[in-house]
């Protein structure tokens, strides 16, 4: 089963979900707004993907953080705590594929190779 994590009103998440549905692929959607990830999950994502891949440093949520808060994202533990507290900082969509691999973002060509 494909597990897709994100925010329902995110344009990229919408495109990803539409693509999966058009391919007839079953998936489970985990909405960060309805069920925020727990700290352990954020820690596992940081470990699997790395801070730079997981944390969105370009979005509005990042820009609203203080310099001290932003600095905590430089360490794995700090990034996990920050993404747990502010799930909107997680790049989207975050996907766990049936193989167990994790990816961030949506590129139809890349996804087609995984399915």
């Amino acid at each position: 089963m494909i597990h897709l994590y994100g925010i329902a009103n995110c344009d990229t998440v919408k495109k990803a979900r539409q693509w999966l549905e058009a391919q007839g692929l079953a998936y489970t959607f985990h909405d960060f707004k309805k069920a925020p990830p727990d700290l352990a999950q954020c820690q596992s994502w940081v470990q699997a993907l790395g801070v730079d891949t997981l944390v969105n440093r370009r979005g509005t949520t990042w820009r609203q953080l203080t310099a001290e808060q932003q600095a905590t994202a430089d360490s794995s533990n700090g990034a996990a705590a920050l993404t747990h507290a502010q799930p909107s900082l997680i790049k989207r969509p975050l996907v766990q594929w049936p193989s167990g691999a994790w990816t961030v973002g949506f590129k139809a060509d890349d996804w087609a190779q995984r399915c």
Side-chain angles (χ1 to χ4, degrees), residues 3 7 21 24-25 29 34 40 45 51 54-56 73-74 76 78-79 84-85 87-88 97-98 101 105 108-109:
H3 292 274
I7 297 171
E21 290 164 8
L25 297 170
F29 177 61
K34 293 181 180 176
W45 291 336
V51 172
L54 186 67
V55 177
N56 180 2
D74 291 338
S76 295
H84 169 66
S88 295
W97 298 96
D109 293 341

Side-chain angles (χ1 to χ4, degrees), residues 2 4 16-25 27 97 111:
I2 297 168
L4 187 139
R17 294 179 74 185
Q18 289 171 351
W19 186 88
L20 288 169
E21 290 164 8
Q23 306 308 308
L25 297 170
Y27 69 95
W97 298 96
W111 283 29

Side-chain angles (χ1 to χ4, degrees), residues 27-101:
Y27 69 95
T28 301
F29 177 61
H30 304 272
D31 190 335
F32 290 148
K33 296 291 186 184
K34 293 181 180 176
D38 61 28
L39 181 59
Q41 186 66 66
C42 292
Q43 289 169 330
S44 71
W45 291 336
V46 169
Q47 184 177 16
L49 295 163
V51 172
D52 292 334
T53 300
L54 186 67
V55 177
N56 180 2
R57 296 175 193 249
R58 294 183 178 185
T60 303
T61 303
W62 177 262
R63 290 190 300 271
Q64 291 175 345
L65 298 175
T66 65
E68 293 81 20
Q69 289 172 312
Q70 290 177 354
T72 65
D74 291 338
S75 72
S76 295
N77 287 338
L82 198 57
T83 55
H84 169 66
Q86 299 278 343
S88 295
L89 288 171
I90 300 171
K91 290 180 184 174
R92 304 177 294 266
L94 174 63
V95 180
Q96 183 179 32
W97 298 96
S99 67

